[in-house]
Amino acid sequence: MKKLLVCLLAITMSVGLLACGGSNSEDLIVGTNAEFPPFEYIGDNGEPDGFDIALIKAIGEKIGRNVVIENLEFSSLVASIGTKIDVAIAGMTVTEERKLTVDFSDPYYEAVQYVIIPDGSSISAMADLEGLTIGVQLGTTGDFIVEDIAGATASQYQKAVDAVNDLVNGRVDCVIIDRNPALVFADKFAGQVVALPGSQFGFDAEFYAIAMPKGDTELANKINQALKDLKTDGTFDKLVSQYIEE
């Protein structure tokens, strides 16, 4: 009888957990910042869309986790991992500073910084950036780069498009941002701004990866294997064609 009561109690507790949302334990809560086209942006349906969003959803399918997207400010993403979110994907560059607090998946995309300048500007080399007011998205690689430019001042924005708007309106001298969003903004503001490749400013290539809780090797192994599988079965290349090389 005692064993029967224990079994009944266990069943009752299990049912109670399910009723209270225990089934959501299989959700993968993913933080992003939908202000970085074409990697993440708000789609026509009002929900986050873009290459990174499609990629993490495909990874979720591979590892058997339902992906739930949380749109957060970019500067808060790393600090939110392990508390508000499980992982972050947001065109996030792997840096030594970030690796102090989070782990990263295998890199999935190579990028470089670009400089957006007003159409007709004479800015063309690193020396020309010295002493300027430079628009950057808070917490991004561009933000870090400005710290090392002599006399330059960073004007920080939560949304990259706000930095470009201020460039058009003469409130900043240029904007430093990753290549792909730079090209998107150059097209959106055609005739007003020009995007210059970072190579002529001496910027090094960088790599995007998925940020995860430090020490969670089981999750890291699953995500890395899913990335490999998506590249092998052609899904990754299809997403690149759909979102980045349209």
Side-chain angles (χ1 to χ4, degrees), residues 36-47:
F36 198 69
F39 291 92
E40 38 269 321
Y41 52 85
I42 298 298
D44 294 336
N45 63 354
E47 298 295 326

Side-chain angles (χ1 to χ4, degrees), residues 32-50 53 69-72 159:
T32 194
N33 175 249
E35 301 289 345
F36 198 69
F39 291 92
E40 38 269 321
Y41 52 85
I42 298 298
D44 294 336
N45 63 354
E47 298 295 326
D49 194 6
I53 306 305
I69 302 295
E70 294 288 343
N71 187 22
L72 307 173
K159 299 180 180 181

Side-chain angles (χ1 to χ4, degrees), residues 10-217:
I11 292 171
T12 302
M13 290 177 65
S14 297
V15 172
L17 285 171
L18 289 173
C20 293
S23 59
N24 291 333
S25 63
E26 291 306 310
D27 287 346
L28 184 69
I29 311 301
V30 178
T32 194
N33 175 249
E35 301 289 345
F36 198 69
F39 291 92
E40 38 269 321
Y41 52 85
I42 298 298
D44 294 336
N45 63 354
E47 298 295 326
D49 194 6
F51 176 81
D52 281 349
I53 306 305
L55 178 61
I56 197 64
K57 287 181 177 179
I59 289 173
E61 289 183 9
K62 288 286 187 183
I63 67 176
R65 301 281 294 272
N66 176 56
V67 171
V68 177
I69 302 295
E70 294 288 343
N71 187 22
L72 307 173
E73 292 180 349
F74 185 86
S75 58
S76 72
L77 286 173
V78 169
S80 298
I81 294 172
T83 54
K84 295 180 180 179
I85 58 178
D86 297 316
V87 302
I89 186 168
M92 187 178 291
T93 303
V94 179
T95 67
E96 292 304 315
E97 181 180 2
R98 289 173 179 151
K99 285 165 68 175
L100 293 175
T101 53
V102 297
D103 287 337
F104 284 96
S105 69
D106 293 337
Y108 63 85
Y109 195 83
E110 182 177 347
V112 69
Q113 297 296 301
Y114 264 46
V115 180
I116 306 177
I117 62 172
D119 191 16
S121 170
S122 61
I123 295 172
S124 61
M126 178 60 82
D128 299 328
L129 301 179
E130 295 180 2
L132 300 186
T133 299
I134 302 174
V136 296
Q137 188 174 15
L138 181 64
T140 62
T141 303
D143 195 1
F144 303 145
I145 286 175
V146 175
E147 294 177 1
D148 297 324
I149 299 175
T153 301
S155 184
Q156 299 169 317
Y157 301 82
Q158 292 292 351
K159 299 180 180 181
V161 67
D162 291 342
V164 182
N165 276 321
D166 271 6
L167 175 65
V168 171
N169 292 317
R171 298 188 183 96
V172 297
D173 299 307
C174 65
V175 172
I176 297 180
I177 194 170
D178 294 45
R179 173 186 181 274
N180 294 96
L183 296 179
V184 170
F185 291 132
D187 181 63
K188 180 177 180 178
F189 295 90
Q192 297 175 286
V193 304
V194 176
L196 301 179
S199 55
Q200 70 186 68
F201 295 86
F203 297 153
D204 295 328
E206 56 194 62
F207 298 91
Y208 297 161
I210 300 165
M212 300 173 288
K214 203 159 188 64
D216 193 341
T217 55

Side-chain angles (χ1 to χ4, degrees), residues 221-233:
N221 290 338
K222 288 180 178 179
I223 287 178
N224 286 334
Q225 185 59 54
L227 275 171
K228 292 176 183 177
D229 292 343
L230 291 170
K231 290 180 178 181
T232 299
D233 66 21

